[in-house]
Amino acid sequence: MKILVPIKRVIDYNVKARVKADNSDVDLANVKMAMNPFCEIAVEEAVRLKEQGKAEEVIVVSIGDKSCQEQLRTALALGADRAIQIDSDAKLGSLQVAKLLKELVDKEQPNLVILGKQSIDSDNNQTGQMLAALTNLPQGTFASKVDLEADKVQVTREVDGGLQTVSLSLPAIVTTDLRLNEPRYASLPNIMKAKRKPLEVIPAADLGVELTSKVKVLKVEEPSQRGGGVIVESVAELVEKLKNEAKVIA
Amino acid sequence: MSILLVAEHDNSELKVDTLKAVNAASKIGGDITVLVAGLNCSGVADEASKIDGVSKVLLADNAAYEHSLAENLGALVVDLASDYSHILAPATTTGKNFMPRVAALLDVEQISDIISVEGSDTFTRPIYAGNAIATVQSEYAKKVITIRTSAFDKAALTGSAEVVSIGSEQNAGLSSFVSQELTESERPELTAASVVISGGRGMQNGENFKLLDGIADKLGAAVGASRAAVDAGFVPNDMQVGQTGKIVAPDLYIAVGISGAIQHLAGMKDSKVIVAINKDAEAPIFQVADYGLVADLFEALPELETSI
Ligand SMILES: Cc1cc2nc3c(=O)[nH]c(=O)nc-3n(C[C@H](O)[C@H](O)[C@H](O)COP(=O)(O)OP(=O)(O)OC[C@H]3O[C@@H](n4cnc5c(N)ncnc54)[C@H](O)[C@@H]3O)c2cc1C
């Protein structure tokens, strides 16, 4: 069993994004970057499946310029076996990313692909589903539990009403939700070992995919800010204000 | 222009998300057709036919659609797509699941989670946990869009569209439904409630959420939670409010024992009035609160319950 885990380099989740003065985009200059938290959960799940003897190989892939090799090395330190960077400095949409990943799925023939359900920068929540469509594979999105068997996988999904469990034939695409696992930290010896693990670079242009996004970003603005509030001194004052000032309770 | 909007429902009831999505659709303009796909869901189709602004309801009543499996529902929508310029669905977990599949099969980039319609091809959407709002324009002939329903009001129920049954059965045979565990509650749904009271790690355990229940019952409120409260097992996952949980914008949001991390704020900061109860005067939640009460929640909540 072979597992492919696509990962993304994004703004660190503790950092609040700021909009550029010219409203062209978010300013990422000198901002701390990290692996998307949902991708960390995906790497962790794949590594655990390997540790349980249910998978033989975990391959991580990231699409981006050379800087995403940092996150690939992190994934190798967390237990992935080898890494692939699809080299591109284009601004890609989820569809272009899914098409590139499809080329890799065709080449590597993994039994399972595990992705994060959304990246915390573009907040799209699309790539895994698109990859599943392009490869004509079943999908188990927003997973909080993954039971991998020889010829199928059972995925428990976090849905608006609670939990839903589906059974998917293999190969399959899974996207992770927060409760799937708690990712480990990389140990120093594993970080050292990761430096010697294979990292292959494939130019995106070699994969024959149209990379131009046809969704144009016209502008990026700050959201409207909330006006300053007040501190009330007591529950009685709070209730009085909610009734008579805000008029939100009767 | 012609719009196909996929309804959110549970086979017996149409969800409010659909009414809000129709309102978003009418801002785009053109005829609106609502697709109700499910099993034994003709009652839902009848309800959908009453939504103001809807000109037609398509009913696909088939076991293949009972659980909204993305592989089947996606194939059905792709099959219908040729007649429409816009394909829309509310950004619920169902919409998020099948819509990107539709987009990819149509070779179109999806625009997720729109919060306003600026034109038939131009929309705004939050990015970076709502810390930036992007205005985006789609150059595709067909637009595939999910709608953040908290940003739109409900359409009224005064219409009378025709309901047309379609015989289609798209069973991809790739996935099957095994089971579900749905949270039963007498209270309104989080995304439909006009008052939401949420608890965080400060609640300490699931038992203490009863302190919120009493207040919720008096206010007709839904009860939500922070990620920390869900991760700790105090309450189920469907109660999580935030960037990666449910997005709410009620008239009144009461955050109790929640610090106000950006990911939580992303799910509630468009509420009309925000109340924060937290014992730490420095907690970031106070920066977005209209009314802040610096207090121990175990003292404040019982007092609040008796005084409303
Ligand atoms: C990828 C990712 C996605 C995330 N998505 C979400 C999301 O969708 N929603 C979300 O909520 N979070 C999300 N988070 C988590 C978020 O970063 C915070 O960790 C989380 O919101 C913190 O929850 P909390 O405020 O309940 O806990 P804490 O930050 O621990 O805050 C607890 C608060 O309770 C107060 N308190 C304690 N005891 C009392 C008392 N007796 N009386 C009064 N006040 C008390 C404390 O002063 C403190 O302010 C996400 C994180 C990541 C990395």
Side-chain angles (χ1 to χ4, degrees), chain B residues 14-32:
Chain B
L14 187 71
K15 301 282 171 178
V16 177
D17 300 277
T18 312
L19 306 185
K20 294 180 173 181
V22 168
N23 184 17
S26 40
K27 293 184 195 303
I28 295 172
D31 277 349
I32 303 171

Side-chain angles (χ1 to χ4, degrees), chain A residues 35-49:
Chain A
M35 195 192 308
N36 180 43
F38 288 101
C39 303
E40 280 184 343
I41 297 173
V43 171
E44 177 68 30
E45 194 65 14
V47 170
R48 286 189 192 183
L49 288 168

Side-chain angles (χ1 to χ4, degrees), chain A residues 13-14 36-38 120 178, chain B residues 199-204 225-229 240-246 256-265 277-280 283-285 295-298:
Chain A
Y13 80 94
N14 279 310
N36 180 43
F38 288 101
I120 60 164
L178 295 169
Chain B
R201 201 195 310 269
M203 297 302 296
Q204 289 179 3
S226 71
R227 174 193 175 179
Q240 182 182 312
V241 170
Q243 179 189 14
T244 63
K246 286 184 181 152
V256 184
I258 292 178
S259 62
I262 34 184
Q263 292 84 7
H264 189 79
L265 300 184
I277 302 176
N278 197 303
K279 67 177 180 189
D280 173 10
I285 190 76
D296 188 317
L297 67 92
F298 295 103

Side-chain angles (χ1 to χ4, degrees), chain B residues 213-226:
Chain B
D213 291 347
I215 297 169
D217 288 340
K218 282 195 158 174
L219 295 177
V223 180
S226 71

Side-chain angles (χ1 to χ4, degrees), chain A residues 109-128:
Chain A
Q109 299 282 322
N111 307 77
L112 193 63
V113 184
I114 311 180
L115 308 87
K117 77 165 180 181
Q118 93 190 52
S119 63
I120 60 164
D121 49 3
S122 51
D123 278 335
N124 274 316
N125 196 332
Q126 299 174 351
T127 305

